[in-house]
C-alpha cells in the first residue's frame, strides 16, 4: 500500500503539470487572431478608396499599413510585419524611406493637383527612391549603395543603378529640409510590371489571397492610364516602424451605355463597379487586418454641381451608389462656404463568399465637373535643335484658382520651390538662367529668394538646382530657362538602345505655403482608419514635371571593325608605295643590256675564243684524251708490225 | 560411336560451365555500374538540389519570341518543382508591360492565347540593361560585388544539377547580348571550367536556342556537362508561328517542341533525356538539333535499378541510337550465349 501511494500520486502530478503547461501554451495562440498582444502589438489595416474622375476614368487607391512597435531587442519575432523590411531598417539605420514604381503621367489638369491623393501619390515615371539615414555623413554614401542593391534584389528592379554617385544627389532644402542625411535618386526609364508587384504583395500578411489585395487583377492594373506602387517607411525610437504601401491606379471602365446620349459636350459618365474594373468581388476581409474598409469619394467639384441634395445624397437624379454605404463622412466646409467632398464608407467585415461586396456607381444624367488644381500648372520642355546644345525650360501656368488660395491679389506673392537634378552629360550653364513673367524678362534678384546650385562634374556628379522663387499672385505664366551643352560619353557608357535618347528625371515644384489636407469632423480616433488619418495630415502641395528625352550624339557602333579595315588598307598602301619608291630602281636592267650590246665581236674570233676557253678549262681532259690517242696509235702500230 | 563421342564430354561440360559462368559474370558487370552510378558520377557528391538559369538576351519588340521562349521554360521549370529562390531569370527587355503590347501584363507563346506565361507570380532577377555578358559570367562563377543580394546569386554547390537555358540571336561561336556585345564559345567554356573547379555543379545541362547554336559548345571540355543546341553550324533556327493579334512571332520551333515534350510530364514523371532527343524531328524544326554527350559520364537513361526488365530496357535504349554493326555484335553475342546454353542443356 505504501508503495502504491507514491506511484498513484506521481502520474497524477505529472498529468496536472502537463495540463497547466498546455493551457499556458494555448492561450497566446487564441489571442493571436486580433491585435491584442500577440507578436508584440503589431497591426495591419487595409483600405481602398475609389473616386470617379472628371474625364470618365476611375481612380482606385489601395492603402495598406503595417506597424511594428519599438522593441529594444535586436532580433524579434514578427507575426504581421514583414521581416525583410524590419531587417532593412535595422541594417541601414533608415529613418524615413520612400520607394515608388510608376508608369504613366499623372494628369494634373484633369485628375487634380492639390487634393491629398494627388499630392502624395502622383509620382514621376519610373523608379524614385529617397531615404533619410540616422548615420554620420561619411557613412551614408556606402550605406546608400548597399541599400540600393538590397532593394533591387527585393523588388526585382534595377534600383542598383542608383548606386553610383552620378545617379543620385543630396538636395539641401529643395526636396525636404534635412541636415545632410538625405539621398534622392530617380530612374525614369525603369519598366514597371508584374514582377515588381509580386514581391510588394508578398510583404502583406494576406498577400493577394484574401482581403482587398485579392482584387488586384494584373491585366486590369497594367492596362490603366497611370499606376504607381509606393512603399513608405517611417522609423523612430518612440513609434517603432510604420510601413505604408499604396497602389494608385487610374482605370478606364468599359461601359457600353456611355454612347447612349450623343450630345457632344455632356456625355454620360460610364457606370462602373468593382467586379467590372477588377473582374473580382470582395469576398471577405483579410483576417489578420484590424480594419478593412472601402471608401468611395465624391469630390467637392462634383458635389457642388448637384443642386438637389436629399438626405441620402448617394442616391439622386444624377447617380446612384450601390450598395448603400454604411456611413457618410463629410469634409468640413471651407471658408467660402463651399460644400466639401464626401466619403462613403463600406465595411468589408460584413461580406463573405455568399454575400460578396461589389461597390459601384450608376450614372443616370450627364455631369461635368472639375477637380481642384494647384495654383500653378508646372510643365517642362526642351528648346533648341542639333546635337551640340539646347535649353531646358520650366513653365508655370496659372490655373485661375486664385480665390481658393489667395485672398487679396494685389499684395500677395506666392513662393515656389523648384528642384531639378540633371545628369552630367547634359552640362547646364547656370549663369544663363532667365526668368520671364507673363512674357517679360525679369531681373533675377527680384524673383529669386534663395538659390543653391551643385554644379555637375563630368562622370562624377549630376547637377542639382534648388531655387526658391517669389511670384505675384496675379501672374498668368512664368518661364525659367537654362542653356546646356551636350556631352560625350565613352563608348562603353552607351546603353544598348542608345539611339532612343537619354532621360532627364522629372523636376519637382513645391508650394511651401499651401497644404493639401482635409478635415473630417465626423472622424475620431476610434475609427482607426489610417487612410483618413493620412488625408487629414498636413502635406505640402507639390507636382512633378515631365521627363525630358535628350538625343545625344551616338557613335556608329559598327565602326571599330570598319576603322580597322580601312586603316590597315591605308597603311598597306602607304608603306608599300614608300618602299617601292625607296628601293626599286626603274630602267636599271635596260641600261645594263644596252652596254653589252655596243661591244659585239665577229663570228670566227668568237668561235675560236669559245673553243679556246673550253679547251683552257679542260686541260686534264685534253691530257687524258691525248694520252689515250697515243696509246691507241702505239698499240696499233705495235700490233700491226 | 556415340560412346566415343561422349567420353571427353565431362571435360567439355566443365568447360561449358566455366564459359557460361563467365558470361553470366560479364552480364552482371554490365548491370553493376548502374546502381553505383546513381550515387556518384564524377565525384562522391550526392544530387541534392536543382537550379535553373534562364537567360533571354534580346531586346526590342520584334524579339518577343525570345522572351516568350524564356518565360515558357520558366513556367515549365516552376511547374516541375524548382522554386523561385533557385531560379535566376534574366530578361533583357520588358514585353509584358511594353507600350506596344495590346495585352498588358500578359505574354503568350501560342496564338490561341490559352496560357498567360507572365501570370501573377513572376520574379525577374536581372532586367533590362542589367543583362550583360559581365553579369551573366558573374552569376555563373559566383564572383559578385559584396553588396549584391542573395536573390541575384547562383548559390549552387557540388550537389547541384543546373539547367542553363539561353535564347536570342547567335552565330558561329557566339551569342549576341542585347545587340551590343557577344558571348563567345571560349568564354562559355572558360566559365564552365571555372564552375567545375569551384565545384559549383554536379551536372550541367546547357540548352541554347539560337542560330548555329551547336557552335557555342565547341570549346567545352569539362566533365558532367550536357549540351543541347537547336541547330548546327550553318543552319538557322526558325520561329514557329506568327500571332497576327500581337503582330510578331511568339515562339521558336526548338523551344516549342521542347515544351511539347515537357507539357506531358509532371513533377513525378521519370522521363529520360534520350526520349527528349528522340522527340526532335529535323523536318519540323527546320534545323538539326544537336546534342553533345561526350562530356557526360552517366548513361542517358538516368539511373535505374538492375532488374532484368531494366536490363532489357538498357539494351533497348542503347540499340535505339547506335549503329548497325554494334547491333550485329550484340546479336551475335546473344546467339553465342544461347548456343552454349543449348548445347550444355542438350548434353
Amino acid at each position: 500500500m505504501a508503495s502504491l501511494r507514491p506511484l498513484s500520486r506521481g502520474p497524477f502530478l505529472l498529468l496536472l503539470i502537463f495540463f497547466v503547461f498546455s493551457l499556458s501554451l494555448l492561450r497566446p495562440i487564441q489571442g493571436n487572431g486580433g491585435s491584442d498582444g500577440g507578436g508584440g502589438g503589431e497591426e495591419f489595416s487595409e483600405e481602398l478608396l475609389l473616386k470617379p474622375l472628371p474625364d470618365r476614368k476611375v481612380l482606385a487607391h489601395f492603402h495598406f499599413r503595417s506597424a511594428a512597435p519599438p522593441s529594444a531587442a535586436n532580433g524579434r519575432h514578427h507575426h504581421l510585419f514583414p521581416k525583410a523590411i524590419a531587417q532593412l531598417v535595422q541594417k541601414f539605420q533608415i529613418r524615413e524611406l520612400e520607394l515608388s514604381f510608376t508608369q504613366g503621367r499623372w494628369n494634373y489638369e484633369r485628375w487634380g493637383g492639390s487634393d491629398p491623393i494627388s499630392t502624395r501619390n502622383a509620382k514621376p515615371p519610373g523608379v524614385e527612391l529617397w531615404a533619410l539615414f540616422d548615420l554620420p555623413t561619411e557613412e551614408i554614401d556606402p550605406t546608400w549603395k548597399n541599400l540600393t542593391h538590397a532593394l533591387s534584389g527585393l523588388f526585382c528592379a534595377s534600383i542598383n543603378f542608383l548606386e553610383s554617385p552620378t545617379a543620385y544627389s543630396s538636395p539641401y532644402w529643395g526636396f525636404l529640409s534635412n541636415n545632410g542625411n538625405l539621398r534622392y535618386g530617380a530612374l525614369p526609364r525603369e519598366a514597371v510590371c508584374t514582377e515588381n508587384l509580386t514581391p510588394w504583395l508578398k510583404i502583406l500578411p494576406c498577400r493577394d489571397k484574401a482581403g482587398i489585395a485579392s482584387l488586384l487583377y494584373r491585366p486590369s492594373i497594367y492596362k490603366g492610364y497611370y499606376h504607381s506602387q509606393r512603399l513608405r517607411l517611417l522609423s523612430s525610437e518612440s513609434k517603432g516602424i510604420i510601413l505604408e504601401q499604396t497602389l494608385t491606379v487610374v482605370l478606364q471602365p468599359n461601359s457600353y451605355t456611355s454612347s447612349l446620349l450623343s450630345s457632344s459636350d455632356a456625355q454620360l459618365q460610364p457606370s462602373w463597379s468593382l467586379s467590372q474594373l477588377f473582374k473580382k468581388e470582395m469576398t471577405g476581409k483579410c483576417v489578420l487586418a484590424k480594419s478593412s474598409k472601402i471608401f468611395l469619394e465624391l469630390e467637392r467639384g462634383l458635389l457642388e454641381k448637384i443642386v438637389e441634395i436629399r438626405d441620402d445624397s448617394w442616391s439622386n437624379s444624377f447617380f446612384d451608389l450601390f450598395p448603400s454605404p454604411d456611413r457618410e463622412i463629410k469634409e468640413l466646409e471651407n471658408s467660402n462656404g463651399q460644400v466639401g467632398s464626401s466619403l462613403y464608407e463600406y465595411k468589408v467585415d460584413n461580406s463573405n463568399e455568399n454575400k460578396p461586396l461589389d461597390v459601384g456607381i450608376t450614372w443616370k444624367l450627364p455631369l461635368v465637373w472639375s477637380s481642384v488644381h494647384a495654383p500653378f500648372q508646372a510643365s517642362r520642355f526642351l528648346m533648341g535643335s542639333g546635337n551640340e546644345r539646347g535649353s531646358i525650360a520650366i513653365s508655370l501656368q496659372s490655373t485661375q484658382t486664385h480665390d481658393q488660395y489667395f485672398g487679396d491679389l494685389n499684395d500677395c506673392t506666392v513662393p515656389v520651390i523648384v528642384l531639378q537634378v540633371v545628369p552630367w552629360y547634359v552640362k547646364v550653364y547656370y549663369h544663363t538662367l532667365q526668368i520671364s513673367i507673363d512674357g517679360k524678362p525679369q531681373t533675377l534678384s527680384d524673383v529669386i529668394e534663395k538659390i543653391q546650385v551643385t554644379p555637375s562634374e563630368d562622370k562624377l556628379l549630376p547637377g542639382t538646382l534648388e531655387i526658391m522663387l517669389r511670384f505675384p499672385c496675379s501672374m498668368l505664366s512664368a518661364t525659367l530657362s537654362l542653356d546646356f551643352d551636350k556631352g560625350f560619353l565613352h563608348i562603353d557608357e552607351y546603353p544598348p538602345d542608345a539611339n532612343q535618347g537619354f532621360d532627364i528625371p522629372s523636376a519637382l515644384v513645391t508650394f511651401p505655403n499651401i497644404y493639401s489636407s482635409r478635415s473630417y469632423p465626423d472622424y475620431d480616433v476610434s475609427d482607426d482608419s489610417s487612410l483618413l488619418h493620412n488625408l487629414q495630415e498636413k502635406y505640402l502641395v507639390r507636382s512633378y514635371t515631365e521627363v525630358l528625352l535628350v538625343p545625344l550624339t551616338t557613335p556608329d557602333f559598327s565602326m571599330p571593325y570598319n576603322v580597322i579595315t580601312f586603316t590597315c588598307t591605308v597603311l598597306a598602301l602607304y608603306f608599300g608605295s614608300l618602299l617601292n619608291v625607296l628601293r626599286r630602281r626603274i630602267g636599271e636592267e635596260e641600261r645594263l643590256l644596252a652596254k653589252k650590246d655596243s661591244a659585239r665581236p665577229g663570228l670566227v674570233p668568237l668561235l675560236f675564243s669559245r673553243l679556246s676557253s673550253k679547251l683552257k678549262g679542260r686541260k686534264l681532259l685534253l691530257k687524258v684524251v691525248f694520252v689515250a690517242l697515243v696509246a691507241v696509235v702505239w698499240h696499233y702500230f705495235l700490233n700491226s708490225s | 560411336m556415340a560412346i566415343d563421342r561422349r567420353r571427353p564430354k565431362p571435360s567439355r561440360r566443365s568447360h561449358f560451365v566455366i564459359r557460361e559462368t563467365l558470361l553470366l559474370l560479364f552480364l552482371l558487370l554490365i548491370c553493376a555500374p548502374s546502381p553505383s552510378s546513381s550515387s556518384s558520377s564524377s565525384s562522391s557528391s550526392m544530387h541534392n538540389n536543382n537550379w535553373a538559369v534562364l537567360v533571354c538576351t534580346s531586346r526590342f519588340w520584334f524579339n518577343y519570341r525570345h522572351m516568350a521562349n524564356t518565360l515558357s521554360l520558366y513556367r515549365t521549370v516552376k511547374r516541375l518543382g524548382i522554386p523561385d529562390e533557385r531560379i535566376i531569370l534574366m530578361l533583357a527587355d520588358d514585353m509584358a508591360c511594353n507600350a506596344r503590347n495590346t495585352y498588358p501584363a500578359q505574354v503568350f507563346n501560342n496564338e490561341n492565347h490559352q496560357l498567360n506565361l507572365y501570370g501573377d507570380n513572376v520574379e525577374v532577377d536581372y532586367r533590362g540593361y542589367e543583362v550583360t555578358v559581365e553579369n551573366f559570367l558573374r552569376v555563373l562563377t559566383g564572383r559578385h560585388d559584396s553588396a549584391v543580394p542573395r536573390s541575384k546569386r547562383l548559390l549552387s554547390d557540388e550537389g547541384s544539377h543546373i539547367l542553363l537555358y539561353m535564347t536570342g540571336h547567335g552565330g558561329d561561336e557566339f551569342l549576341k547580348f542585347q545587340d551590343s556585345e557577344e558571348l563567345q564559345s571560349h568564354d562559355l567554356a572558360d566559365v564552365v571550367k571555372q564552375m567545375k573547379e569551384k565545384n559549383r555543379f554536379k551536372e550541367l545541362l546547357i540548352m541554347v536556342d539560337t542560330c548555329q547554336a551547336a557552335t557555342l559548345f565547341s570549346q567545352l571540355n569539362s566533365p558532367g556537362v550536357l549540351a543541347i543546341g537547336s541547330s548546327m553550324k550553318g543552319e538557322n533556327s526558325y520561329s514557329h508561328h506568327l500571332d497576327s493579334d500581337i503582330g510578331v512571332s511568339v515562339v521558336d520551333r526548338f523551344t516549342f517542341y521542347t515544351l511539347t515534350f515537357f507539357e506531358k510530364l509532371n513533377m513525378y514523371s521519370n522521363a529520360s533525356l534520350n526520349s527528349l532527343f528522340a522527340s526532335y524531328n529535323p523536318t519540323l524544326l527546320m534545323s538539326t538539333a544537336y546534342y553533345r554527350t561526350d562530356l557526360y559520364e552517366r548513361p542517358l537513361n538516368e539511373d535505374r535499378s538492375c532488374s532484368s526488365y531494366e536490363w532489357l530496357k538498357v539494351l533497348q535504349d542503347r540499340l535505339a541510337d547506335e549503329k548497325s554493326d554494334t547491333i550485329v555484335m550484340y546479336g551475335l553475342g546473344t546467339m553465342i550465349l544461347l548456343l552454349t546454353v543449348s548445347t550444355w542443356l542438350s548434353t
Side-chain angles (χ1 to χ4, degrees), chain A residues 341-460:
Chain A
S341 61
S342 284
L343 283 174
Y344 297 96
E345 183 184 316
Y346 297 86
K347 284 198 169 55
V348 186
D349 313 32
N350 308 331
S351 70
N352 52 36
E353 270 177 30
N354 301 327
K355 207 176 34 133
L357 177 62
D358 191 14
V359 177
I361 186 168
T362 321
W363 287 90
K364 297 188 288 204
L365 285 179
L367 188 62
V368 172
W369 74 96
S370 66
S371 316
V372 281
H373 296 128
F376 294 105
Q377 197 74 39
S379 71
R380 193 171 65 155
F381 48 90
L382 281 174
M383 299 196 294
S385 65
N387 275 338
E388 235 184 288
R389 61 184 75 90
S391 293
I392 302 176
I394 301 178
S395 96
L396 295 163
Q397 305 275 340
S398 165
T399 51
Q400 315 292 337
T401 49
H402 304 129
D403 47 348
Q404 228 172 326
Y405 298 107
F406 318 121
D408 179 18
L409 283 182
N410 293 330
D411 232 352
C412 86
T413 53
V414 52
V416 175
I417 297 181
V418 177
L419 166 71
Q420 184 170 251
V421 179
V422 175
W424 68 264
Y425 39 82
V426 174
K427 299 181 217 187
V428 176
Y429 295 108
Y430 293 101
H431 72 277
T432 57
L433 174 66
Q434 280 173 351
I435 304 179
S436 61
I437 296 180
D438 291 334
K440 292 192 272 286
Q442 310 282 317
T443 44
L444 296 183
S445 49
D446 288 343
V447 189
I448 299 181
E449 196 171 290
K450 205 158 66 152
I451 181 166
Q452 171 113 31
V453 166
T454 313
S456 63
E457 282 174 57
D458 271 6
K459 299 187 208 274
L460 286 177

Side-chain angles (χ1 to χ4, degrees), chain A residues 165-238:
Chain A
T166 53
Y168 66 86
S169 67
S170 31
Y172 293 93
W173 44 266
F175 188 75
L176 278 181
S177 54
N178 65 91
N179 47 1
N181 56 348
L182 170 72
R183 295 290 180 270
Y184 174 87
L187 291 170
R189 212 187 280 188
E190 189 68 18
V192 180
C193 206
T194 315
E195 65 261 21
N196 303 113
L197 193 61
T198 309
W200 190 90
L201 285 172
K202 283 189 181 167
I203 295 176
L204 298 172
C206 284
R207 302 199 173 186
D208 59 343
K209 306 287 181 229
I212 288 177
S214 64
L215 287 173
L216 293 172
Y217 181 57
R218 314 289 192 265
S220 294
I221 298 173
Y222 294 105
K223 206 187 276 201
Y225 286 79
Y226 173 88
H227 59 89
S228 168
Q229 67 185 71
R230 197 170 66 98
L231 185 129
R232 192 178 150 89
L233 272 176
L234 270 161
S235 153
S236 62
E237 305 279 313
S238 52

Side-chain angles (χ1 to χ4, degrees), chain A residues 145-146 149 152-153 156-158 160-161 189-196 198 202 218-219 222-223 496-497, chain B residues 59-60 94 96-97 104-106 118-124 127 129-130 145 147-149 151-152 178 180:
Chain A
K145 177 186 167 184
N146 291 337
H149 276 278
S152 95
C156 299
S158 317
N160 50 320
F161 287 145
R189 212 187 280 188
E190 189 68 18
V192 180
C193 206
T194 315
E195 65 261 21
N196 303 113
T198 309
K202 283 189 181 167
R218 314 289 192 265
Y222 294 105
K223 206 187 276 201
D497 53 352
Chain B
R59 150 177 295 275
F60 304 125
D94 172 44
C97 295
Q106 289 158 294
Y118 227 58
D120 282 347
N121 211 357
V122 59
E123 288 186 16
V124 182
R127 285 213 302 189
Y129 298 138
E130 283 182 289
D145 193 37
V148 170
S151 63
K152 284 174 137 175
Q178 293 209 52
S180 66

Side-chain angles (χ1 to χ4, degrees), chain B residues 11-195:
Chain B
S11 65
R12 226 189 263 176
R13 182 189 283 193
S14 62
H15 198 65
F16 280 145
V17 165
I18 292 167
R19 211 190 293 172
E20 198 233 39
T21 47
L22 278 171
L23 277 164
L24 273 171
L25 276 170
F26 172 69
L27 287 171
L28 280 169
L29 278 170
I30 297 176
C31 300
S34 8
S36 69
S37 71
S38 65
S39 57
S40 74
S41 61
S42 54
S43 60
S44 55
S45 57
M46 263 187 50
H47 167 213
N48 50 26
N49 57 54
N50 291 319
W51 281 83
V53 179
L54 309 169
V55 183
C56 166
T57 59
S58 303
R59 150 177 295 275
F60 304 125
W61 176 249
F62 51 83
N63 290 319
Y64 183 99
R65 61 187 188 282
H66 296 141
M67 199 72 58
N69 288 349
T70 317
L71 286 167
S72 319
L73 253 289
Y74 174 73
R75 183 188 161 268
T76 305
V77 144
K78 264 177 94 160
R79 190 175 62 84
L80 294 175
I82 304 185
D84 265 317
E85 295 86 58
R86 300 234 193 92
I87 302 178
I88 306 256
L89 180 61
M90 301 173 77
L91 297 179
D93 202 357
D94 172 44
M95 297 298 170
C97 295
N98 196 318
R100 286 175 162 163
N101 193 356
T102 44
Y103 296 90
Q106 289 158 294
V107 175
F108 303 113
N109 67 351
N110 200 313
E111 61 177 348
N112 57 24
H113 295 182
Q114 294 256 331
L115 191 59
N116 173 14
L117 297 172
Y118 227 58
D120 282 347
N121 211 357
V122 59
E123 288 186 16
V124 182
D125 299 297
Y126 287 84
R127 285 213 302 189
Y129 298 138
E130 283 182 289
V131 177
T132 56
V133 175
E134 186 194 337
N135 281 343
F136 173 70
L137 298 180
R138 280 185 188 277
V139 163
L140 288 182
T141 53
R143 294 158 72 170
H144 293 281
D145 193 37
S146 55
V148 170
R150 283 175 68 91
S151 63
K152 284 174 137 175
R153 293 182 190 230
L154 180 65
L155 300 167
S156 57
D157 53 20
E158 65 271 3
S160 306
H161 284 187
I162 304 182
L163 164 70
L164 171 61
Y165 176 80
M166 297 195 279
T167 180
H169 290 289
D172 198 357
E173 311 248 345
F174 71 91
L175 194 146
K176 208 162 64 151
F177 265 67
Q178 293 209 52
D179 214 16
S180 66
E181 25 176 30
E182 289 97 33
L183 173 78
Q184 297 201 339
S185 54
H186 305 272
D187 297 324
L188 187 65
D190 195 43
V191 151
V192 171
K193 197 165 167 188
Q194 278 192 50
M195 285 173 83

